[in-house]
Amino acid sequence: VPRVVARVASRTLATEATFDLPTCELHKFDIDLPKTATLTREDGLKYFKDMSIIRKMETSANSLYKSKEIRGFLHLYSGQEAVCVGMEAAITLEDSIITAYRDHGW
């Protein structure tokens, strides 16, 4: 069970949470991975908003597909919103990514 430490700014809302990360064996990499990760309230709310927008877009696309206003194939991204939001948060503008057919969130 991961340990979570939250710093409380008021009686009800935490400003950030720190999570213990599991160890990960690396093959042929001489780097040390972080042992903890901290999520600020602002970042958490931004990630949630981004994931919600993607889900709403997917729901709309599904409705349009079912009403035959979108033709061809539709491979929905519903349930995978955290993948693109998390990757976007971790990369820089100089990084390149390649998507597959489920790339609506990008």
Side-chain angles (χ1 to χ4, degrees):
V1 176
R3 180 180 65 92
V4 178
V5 177
R7 291 184 180 82
V8 179
S10 68
R11 291 184 182 162
T12 58
L13 298 176
T15 57
E16 63 183 33
T18 302
F19 302 88
D20 287 334
L21 300 175
T23 58
C24 181
E25 297 286 329
L26 298 176
H27 181 71
K28 295 187 178 183
F29 282 99
D30 295 328
I31 60 171
D32 290 325
L33 295 175
K35 307 245 185 283
T36 62
T38 300
L39 176 68
T40 65
R41 183 174 189 275
E42 293 78 23
D43 285 344
L45 290 172
K46 180 189 179 316
Y47 302 155
F48 179 74
K49 178 183 174 189
D50 291 347
M51 289 186 288
S52 296
I53 290 169
I54 295 167
R55 176 63 66 94
K56 287 177 186 176
M57 195 258 335
E58 289 292 307
T59 302
S60 296
N62 191 33
S63 295
L64 291 169
Y65 182 74
K66 287 179 178 176
S67 66
K68 300 186 189 233
E69 293 183 50
I70 295 177
R71 301 179 59 134
F73 297 102
L74 179 65
H75 301 283
L76 294 174
Y77 203 69
S78 298
Q80 301 176 51
E81 297 87 355
V83 175
C84 64
V85 171
M87 285 180 64
E88 274 294 317
I91 64 177
T92 67
L93 292 174
E94 290 78 34
D95 292 324
S96 298
I97 57 171
I98 298 173
T99 63
Y101 59 94
R102 292 180 192 249
D103 59 356
H104 303 149
W106 298 93

